[in-house]
Amino acid sequence: AAAAAAAEQEAAAAAAAAAAASGGGGDTVYITNTGKKYHRDGCSSLSKSKIPKTRSEAEAMGLEPCKNCRP
């Protein structure tokens, strides 16, 4: 299960990098599998999962910025 999650995160990272390179819009933020906020890289809230998204994608999903890392 951990390997599958890691592979999924790698695929998501590759997709986010491709979107950013093609002008997909927005800087990269990170979300978790279960959270309701988006984060900066290195936020302590990302200890269990870290899925890259653009800020616009995260906001479109109804997520709010983390109050600790303030992305």
Side-chain angles (χ1 to χ4, degrees), residues 24-44:
D27 47 337
T28 302
V29 296
Y30 297 88
I31 65 171
T32 62
N33 288 327
T34 58
K36 294 179 173 51
K37 309 246 183 233
Y38 59 89
H39 309 270
R40 287 181 191 244
D41 191 17
C43 182
S44 60

Side-chain angles (χ1 to χ4, degrees), residues 4-71:
E8 181 180 319
Q9 286 183 5
E10 277 187 46
S22 67
D27 47 337
T28 302
V29 296
Y30 297 88
I31 65 171
T32 62
N33 288 327
T34 58
K36 294 179 173 51
K37 309 246 183 233
Y38 59 89
H39 309 270
R40 287 181 191 244
D41 191 17
C43 182
S44 60
S45 298
L46 297 172
S47 61
K48 298 214 187 283
S49 61
K50 179 178 165 184
I51 304 162
K53 297 280 183 191
T54 64
R55 181 184 305 269
S56 55
E57 286 175 327
E59 290 174 350
M61 295 169 69
L63 303 176
E64 298 177 357
C66 172
K67 290 182 177 157
N68 294 324
C69 66
R70 299 180 184 187

